[in-house]
Amino acid sequence: MPAMTAVETGARAGAGVPAEAVGPLVRGVGVLRRLAEAGGTLSPSALERATGLARSTVDRITATLARMGYVRLDGRDVVLTPGVLELGNAYLAALRLPALLGARADALADELDESVSLAVADRDGIRFIHQATRRRALSVSFRIGDLLPAERTAPGALFATEWTERDWARWRTRRAEDPRDTAFPAVPPRPEPAPAHDTTGTTDTAAAVEAAFADRVGAARRDGWAVDDQLIEPGLVAVSAPVRDPRTGRVACVASVVSHTSRHPAAELPAALLPRLRTAVAAMEADLRTAPPPEPGPAPAGLATWTTASKQELGRDFVESLARGLTVLTAFGEGRPALSLTDVARATGLPRATARRALLTHEYLGLVAAAPHEDRAFALTPRVLDLGFPPLSRTTLPRLAEPHLRALADRVAEPAALAVLTADGTEIQYTAGAGTGGVLTVRIPVGARLPAAATSLGRVLLADTGAPAAPELAEARARGYALVDEELESGLRSVAVPVRDRTGRAVAAVNVATHAARRSLEDCVEHLLPALRATADDIQRDLHRASRFTKVATT
C-alpha cells in the first residue's frame, strides 16, 4: 500500500498545517484515501497501520463515516459504500465534461471497438473522468478517478504543453521524491533506479526520464496529438488528442483511444485511429461551444444541519467536524461549479467561520482551489475523486444489492434474491441472493434461470415491459408488486418488487420467498412487503449514485 502523501504526513505531524485547519477532517480524508487505494476494504487494524492513527481515532472516524453512509462496518472490515460516491459525483457534476462529452466517447468506442477515455489534468498527473471500455479477455482496467503520472501517458504530454516553469519544477520535485511512482497505485511501479553514473558515464535515470518526456511534450506541441507506446506497461498503447475549451483555447480534457499491440502497434495508431479520434474531438468541441448553461434546481440549504442530532445521539463516537467538513464538498454540483464562502455557508447551514475552516482545510489537502475567473470563490479539484471513487466506479448491481439482501434476510428470517429478465423476456436469471439458517428454506443458486411468468420476480419485470395483456401482469403493474402463491412449486410463496434505474425503468427485481405453512398471503403483504420495498429503495438509491457517471452492469 502506498505510504501517506507528504500533505497527509505533514498534517499528521503538525508540520506546515494551517493554524485554522480542521484536524479531524484531515485525518478523515486520509482514511478515505487509504480505503480507496486498498480497493475499498480494510480492517481497522490495517487502517491504523496505513494512516499512523491511534486505533481509537480510527474507530471514531469510521463510525462517523458509517453514520454518513460512506462506509459500512462488515464484520471485521471497513468497506466503502456507494454513498461516498456523492463526493466524486459533486465534482463531476460541477465539471460538466462527462455529461457533455461522455456520449461522444461511448460512440467512438463502439465505432472503433476500442476503449476510449477522457482525462483532465491533476497537477503533474492526469485523472480519468470517463471510461468507455470493451469487454474482452485483454481489457483496460483503468477506472474513473484513477490518477496516473503525466510522463507515463499520452494525455500527460498534451497537458504539459501548457505547463509553466513552476509546473515543471513541481514535476521534478515529485519525480525526485518518488522515482518509482509508488504514489500512483493505478500503475505498476517503475524498476529500481540505476546509479546516477557509472565509470563509463551512463546517464542517470532521472535525467533520461526528463529528456524523454520533454521530447514527447515537444512533439505533442508540434503535432497536436500524442502517442503512448507502452509507457505504463508492455503491450498497452494509446493515441490522444486535446479537447479545447472554446472560451480560453486551453486544453479542457484529453480524449484517448487505448488498445494493445496485438491489435494496433504504436506506429500504426496515427493512421489507424487518429483520424476518427480527431473527428470525435471536433464534435466534442462543437458540443462545448453550443452547450446551454446548466439549469440547476433550487440551491441546497441546510446540508449539514443533521450533524448536530447525530452528535447528540452518538456522543464522542461521532466526529461532527469531520462530517461537516465532508458535507461542504457536496454543496458543489451542476450549476454550482464555483461557490463563495457565503454560498457554502448557506448551502450547508454552517456558521461562516465553520465553513471557512472547512474550505481552508480542503484547500490545504488539494480538494478545493481558487475558482478560475471567479473572484473570492472556490471550486472542487479532481482530487476529490481520490475519496473512494475508483474502486466503486466498476461496481455491478449484484454487488450493490448483496449487503441489502443480507440485511433483509436477517430482518424477516426469509431468503431474499435479486434477478433480471433474460434477453428474450421468457426467463429470469438470479444474480444475487441471501439465505437463512432454517431447515426448510428456498435455495436457488446465483445464475439459475426460471420461467418469468411463473415467478413473482418475473411478473414485476414483465409488467414493466409494455402494456401487459395477462391479468396477473396488469395486477402487478397496478399494485407495484407481484405475489405468487404455489405456482412454481407446491408450498412456495414469494413477493417481489422492481428495482428501477435513474430513468425509472425496472432493470431488476428483488423478492422474498417463504413456505406456505409459515406465512399466509395476508402476512406476506402486511409484513414482508414493507421490508421488501424498503430494501428496493436502498438498492435503488445506491444504483442511482453509482450510475450517475458510470455504467453499472446488471449482472
Side-chain angles (χ1 to χ4, degrees):
M1 182 182 302
M4 295 185 77
T5 65
V7 165
E8 292 163 348
T9 303
R12 191 183 71 195
V17 184
E20 293 184 274
V22 182
L25 181 54
V26 173
R27 293 187 281 273
V29 166
V31 166
L32 285 176
R33 282 175 166 157
R34 298 291 85 77
L35 279 168
E37 289 166 359
T41 302
L42 280 176
S43 68
S45 297
L47 274 171
E48 182 182 359
R49 293 190 297 271
T51 60
L53 299 172
R55 175 61 181 268
S56 60
T57 302
V58 169
D59 289 343
R60 293 181 66 215
I61 287 173
T62 55
T64 303
L65 295 175
R67 181 68 167 207
M68 298 184 75
Y70 290 175
V71 306
R72 72 173 186 273
L73 307 180
D74 191 353
R76 298 182 177 180
D77 290 329
V78 180
V79 183
L80 288 174
T81 69
V84 78
L85 292 173
E86 71 177 5
L87 302 175
N89 284 343
Y91 164 72
L92 294 172
L95 183 67
R96 292 192 77 200
L97 292 177
L100 294 174
L101 308 181
R104 297 281 187 188
D106 294 344
L108 180 61
D110 289 341
E111 179 182 343
L112 298 177
D113 194 28
E114 299 287 357
S115 295
V116 173
S117 65
L118 300 176
V120 295
D122 188 348
R123 298 192 182 185
D124 60 352
I126 70 146
R127 181 91 60 172
F128 292 115
I129 59 168
H130 184 81
Q131 288 282 355
T133 57
R134 316 314 288 163
R135 301 185 75 171
R136 296 196 185 99
L138 276 175
S139 60
V140 178
S141 62
F142 292 131
R143 307 159 299 182
I144 295 174
D146 276 338
L147 177 68
L148 277 62
E151 69 276 10
R152 294 178 69 177
T153 69
L158 290 163
F159 286 121
T161 62
E162 298 180 342
W163 281 5
T164 64
E165 271 306 314
R166 182 179 179 182
D167 294 326
W168 280 101
R170 181 169 56 203
W171 176 77
R172 293 186 187 100
T173 299
R174 188 262 295 165
R175 288 278 308 128
E177 292 175 348
D178 184 21
R180 299 196 64 210
D181 297 333
T182 58
F184 298 88
V187 298
R190 291 180 181 271
E192 291 287 350
H197 292 282
D198 62 20
T199 56
T200 62
T202 302
T203 305
D204 75 281
T205 301
V209 169
E210 179 168 351
F213 186 45
D215 286 345
R216 291 196 296 109
V217 172
R221 185 179 292 112
R222 179 190 68 239
D223 300 332
W225 51 271
V227 167
D228 169 1
D229 185 3
Q230 306 177 83
L231 296 170
I232 294 173
E233 67 179 26
L236 185 65
V237 294
V239 59
S240 302
V243 180
R244 297 192 177 275
D245 187 326
R247 298 170 301 170
T248 65
R250 293 177 62 84
V251 180
C253 66
V254 170
S256 302
V257 181
V258 186
S259 188
H260 50 83
T261 52
S262 59
R263 289 175 61 82
H264 294 285
E268 295 180 3
L269 294 180
L273 302 179
L274 182 60
R276 186 61 192 90
L277 172 61
R278 279 180 153 168
T279 299
V281 163
M284 291 178 185
E285 292 176 340
D287 289 342
L288 294 182
R289 284 193 299 272
T290 60
E295 297 182 5
L303 291 173
T305 54
W306 62 273
T307 61
T308 300
S310 292
K311 181 64 175 178
Q312 292 173 347
E313 179 183 345
L314 300 181
R316 70 181 305 276
D317 288 336
F318 184 78
V319 186
E320 189 173 15
S321 57
L322 168 59
R324 288 177 162 186
L326 290 176
T327 302
V328 162
L329 299 178
T330 67
F332 297 81
E334 186 174 3
R336 304 187 303 278
L339 297 178
S340 67
L341 172 58
T342 300
D343 294 331
V344 171
R346 184 182 301 116
T348 58
L350 297 174
R352 282 175 58 88
T354 303
R356 178 176 177 273
R357 290 190 65 200
L359 287 168
L360 289 175
T361 305
H362 288 314
E363 187 174 35
Y364 167 65
L365 293 171
L367 300 174
V368 304
H373 318 301
E374 297 279 350
D375 186 34
R376 303 182 70 169
F378 295 87
L380 299 181
T381 74
R383 294 202 167 190
V384 174
L385 295 174
D386 271 342
L387 308 184
F389 209 93
L392 292 169
S393 67
R394 290 280 182 87
T395 193
T396 64
L397 182 55
R399 289 178 188 171
L400 294 177
E402 281 168 358
H404 300 297
L405 295 176
R406 290 200 301 270
L408 174 62
D410 291 343
R411 177 180 175 184
V412 301
E414 302 284 4
L418 182 83
V420 297
L421 272 180
T422 57
D424 62 7
T426 62
E427 295 180 309
I428 58 164
Q429 180 178 354
Y430 284 79
T431 57
T436 59
V439 176
L440 182 61
T441 187
V442 179
R443 291 187 177 90
I444 300 177
V446 170
R449 295 188 176 196
L450 293 174
T455 63
S456 60
L457 291 161
R459 286 184 184 175
V460 293
L461 291 170
L462 290 172
D464 197 67
T465 58
E472 62 270 17
L473 299 186
E475 183 179 32
R477 169 180 278 186
R479 291 180 173 179
Y481 71 90
L483 179 61
V484 171
D485 182 25
E486 302 188 79
E487 294 185 38
L488 182 68
E489 183 176 326
S490 296
L492 179 63
R493 285 178 177 154
S494 68
V495 58
V497 297
V499 174
R500 300 186 182 278
D501 65 13
R502 293 176 62 86
T503 69
R505 182 173 64 93
V507 294
V510 60
N511 85 334
V512 171
T514 186
H515 190 274
R518 208 157 46 225
R519 293 183 185 268
S520 66
L521 293 176
E522 292 76 12
D523 189 31
C524 289
V525 173
E526 184 177 350
H527 294 105
L528 295 184
L529 183 58
L532 187 60
R533 281 178 163 157
T535 298
D537 289 342
D538 290 340
I539 296 171
Q540 284 177 172
R541 183 175 59 252
D542 284 351
L543 175 61
H544 296 174
R545 287 167 171 162
S547 62
R548 187 172 180 185
F549 294 103
T550 64
K551 292 182 178 180
V552 176
T554 57
T555 59

